[in-house]
Amino acid sequence: MQLGFIGIKLSGKSTLFELLTQNKYETVHAGIAEYRRGQVTVPDERIDRLSEIYRPKKTTYALFDCVDVMGVPASMRTDQAAKYLEAVRQTDSLVAVLRAFDGYDAEGNPARIDPVKDLRTLEEDLIFADLLVAETRLEKVLHMKARSAPQFNPKELGVLEKCKAVLDDNRSLRDTELYPEEEKLIRGFQFLSRKPLMAVLNCDEAHYARRAEYESGFGNAFPDIPVTSVSALAEKEIMELEADERAVFMEELGIDEPAIHHVITTSYAAFGLISFFTVGEDEVRAWTLRKGETAPEAAGVIHSDLQKGFIRAEVVAYDDFIREGGMAAAKAKGLVRLEGKEYVVKDGDILNIRFNV
Ligand SMILES: Nc1nc2c(ncn2[C@@H]2O[C@H](COP(=O)(O)OP(=O)(O)OP(=O)(O)O)[C@@H](O)[C@H]2O)c(=O)[nH]1
Ligand SMILES: [Mg+2]
């Protein structure tokens, strides 16, 4: 899973990114833009519990690869924004970090807080960047058509024209219905406005206290975009304190749950993700999958050989495993099932893939 953090200038993207990656990242220079790459560990109490039971040599949580791009200054929109946004073109999903804290904007003026307007601005930038991609390709395809080139595919022309019409209308491609065949033809373009998107309101103390109100206002404007709130800077400062002092300050600032929980929980819901586990003396590990994916696809997340040589999966639900007190007891109760290629993996499944290479 790869998340791209986007936002207008000075919305606190990097502050949140540093908090979530625990300050471990690399900086990449790409033309005029600069971006950062890091990994976020997905906290999961179930893994803690499984690890206590197996005492494995290694415990591995699911990881999200994250990219943090700079926001473009208002004066450089919209054409330059497309260049900045190239850094998130290869990611799966987008996290829009929206400003909900007082302070100054990039021009040194008091910042206005308007997450709804900011997301509209961001959407315009995504749409514009996609329009550039669609138009460039369209030109090539039309050129091929004119020369009656053998690579010319009328279906590609059709889907590009369909996408361009939506983008020209200043709408994102997120809800555009495409046939699976059309979807396949545009996959390589990685249209930004088609990527699933969630929003994070990055709040100061006052806004965080009233987050329910702001989230519902935001939800009225964007009913299909899942939203959560964090207080990135405050929490980042708290993390610099000694571990035993943190809880007191978290409570004082009214931070119920760390930002990572808010962001991860919302991203699982927004992007249709689930976790499955593998267990053993060597390693207890969590993996991320999309809802609806099958046992062989889960095997493929672990290793491509496991997918190729997939025979069956031994499956037990985490809750059954815990309730029965371990694998042997779960087996005795018949709760460990043998599932085949069609099996749709559920959140919390513990899998053991049987394969043949
Ligand atoms: N009060 C307050 N200030 C914040 C918060 N988050 C970030 N800031 C401040 O806002 C400024 C910009 O934060 P960054 O995290 O660098 O913002 P950014 O979105 O990465 O900015 P660009 O990459 O330039 O687009 C910094 O001075 C932060 O300390 C917050 O939650 N509350
Ligand atoms: Mg930044």
Side-chain angles (χ1 to χ4, degrees):
M1 192 65 200
Q2 297 160 318
L3 303 183
F5 286 45
I6 58 170
I8 60 158
K9 189 102 196 119
L10 303 186
S11 67
K13 294 174 289 300
S14 298
T15 307
L16 179 63
F17 176 84
E18 286 162 16
L19 174 69
L20 298 182
T21 57
Q22 302 187 342
N23 262 323
K24 287 191 275 295
Y25 56 82
E26 57 169 345
T27 304
V28 183
H29 300 275
I32 57 160
E34 183 186 290
Y35 63 95
R36 293 151 151 198
R37 252 196 329 233
Q39 287 187 317
V40 176
T41 301
V42 176
D44 194 330
E45 284 172 4
R46 296 171 296 184
I47 280 291
D48 301 334
R49 195 81 190 276
L50 290 170
S51 189
E52 278 164 26
I53 294 168
Y54 279 93
R55 309 231 156 257
K57 294 193 191 95
K58 204 171 153 200
T59 298
T60 312
Y61 295 83
L63 290 172
F64 284 178
D65 291 318
C66 294
V67 173
D68 166 39
V69 291
M70 292 189 294
V72 325
S75 59
M76 286 166 71
R77 288 187 63 238
T78 331
D79 48 338
Q80 299 288 24
K83 291 191 184 127
Y84 280 62
L85 288 167
E86 273 317 298
V88 292
R89 179 121 2 231
Q90 302 306 323
T91 60
D92 304 310
S93 306
L94 300 177
V95 177
V97 181
L98 303 171
R99 181 175 185 141
F101 59 88
D102 283 318
Y104 293 91
D105 67 15
E107 282 74 42
N109 302 312
R112 122 209 92 67
I113 295 178
D114 192 346
V116 170
K117 180 158 181 250
D118 289 350
L119 187 57
R120 294 223 164 93
T121 303
L122 273 178
E123 287 269 61
E124 276 173 23
D125 288 348
L126 300 177
I127 290 166
F128 185 79
D130 283 350
L131 204 48
L132 291 180
V133 171
E135 281 173 347
T136 307
R137 181 63 192 170
L138 206 48
E139 218 170 278
K140 282 212 182 93
V141 172
L142 286 171
H143 189 62
M144 284 193 261
K145 184 185 178 193
R147 287 185 299 127
S148 309
Q151 315 93 299
F152 171 67
N153 178 352
K155 290 202 173 121
E156 187 186 357
L157 178 60
V159 67
L160 280 170
E161 281 173 338
K162 190 163 161 182
C163 291
K164 182 169 156 22
V166 174
L167 297 165
D168 274 335
D169 198 25
N170 216 354
R171 284 183 292 137
S172 76
L173 294 171
R174 205 165 298 116
D175 308 316
T176 307
E177 289 203 26
L178 295 177
Y179 295 109
E181 195 187 2
E182 295 179 312
E183 185 81 61
K184 222 165 155 186
L185 284 167
I186 62 156
R187 195 169 295 155
F189 305 129
Q190 294 266 23
F191 285 126
L192 297 171
S193 73
R194 194 164 176 77
K195 293 186 193 294
L197 175 78
M198 62 172 266
V200 177
L201 306 181
N202 185 27
C203 304
D204 53 25
E205 205 182 328
H207 282 81
Y208 195 80
R210 293 171 60 185
R211 62 190 178 280
E213 193 184 314
Y214 293 112
E215 284 177 18
S216 96
F218 182 87
N220 289 336
F222 296 101
D224 298 325
I225 303 212
V227 61
T228 188
S229 305
V230 301
S231 200
L233 185 63
E235 200 176 315
K236 200 159 163 265
E237 285 166 357
I238 290 172
M239 292 315 285
E240 279 155 25
L241 304 171
E242 298 295 328
D244 57 347
E245 293 179 64
R246 290 177 195 158
V248 181
F249 282 92
M250 293 280 272
E251 200 182 326
E252 202 158 289
L253 291 173
I255 301 177
D256 52 342
E257 268 203 305
I260 190 146
H261 288 275
H262 287 298
V263 173
I264 294 291
T265 307
T266 308
S267 69
Y268 267 66
F271 307 141
L273 306 175
I274 58 167
S275 293
F276 74 92
F277 311 119
T278 50
V279 295
E281 259 67 72
D282 286 331
E283 190 180 28
V284 163
R285 182 160 181 171
W287 308 82
T288 309
L289 205 62
R290 281 175 205 283
K291 251 182 225 157
E293 287 188 311
T294 58
E297 285 167 318
V301 172
I302 302 171
H303 197 286
S304 55
D305 285 349
L306 265 63
Q307 182 162 13
K308 275 186 225 131
F310 180 90
I311 302 170
R312 279 172 179 282
E314 257 177 26
V315 186
V316 57
Y318 171 83
D319 289 337
D320 289 342
F321 176 94
I322 294 295
R323 182 166 19 81
E324 298 307 324
M327 199 59 90
K331 262 192 187 139
K333 279 260 176 98
L335 294 168
V336 181
R337 297 160 281 135
L338 267 184
E339 301 281 4
K341 289 197 165 133
E342 310 297 319
Y343 178 70
V344 174
V345 177
K346 314 261 175 321
D347 184 56
D349 276 350
I350 299 172
L351 295 190
N352 180 23
I353 308 292
R354 293 195 188 165
F355 67 109
N356 186 348
V357 277

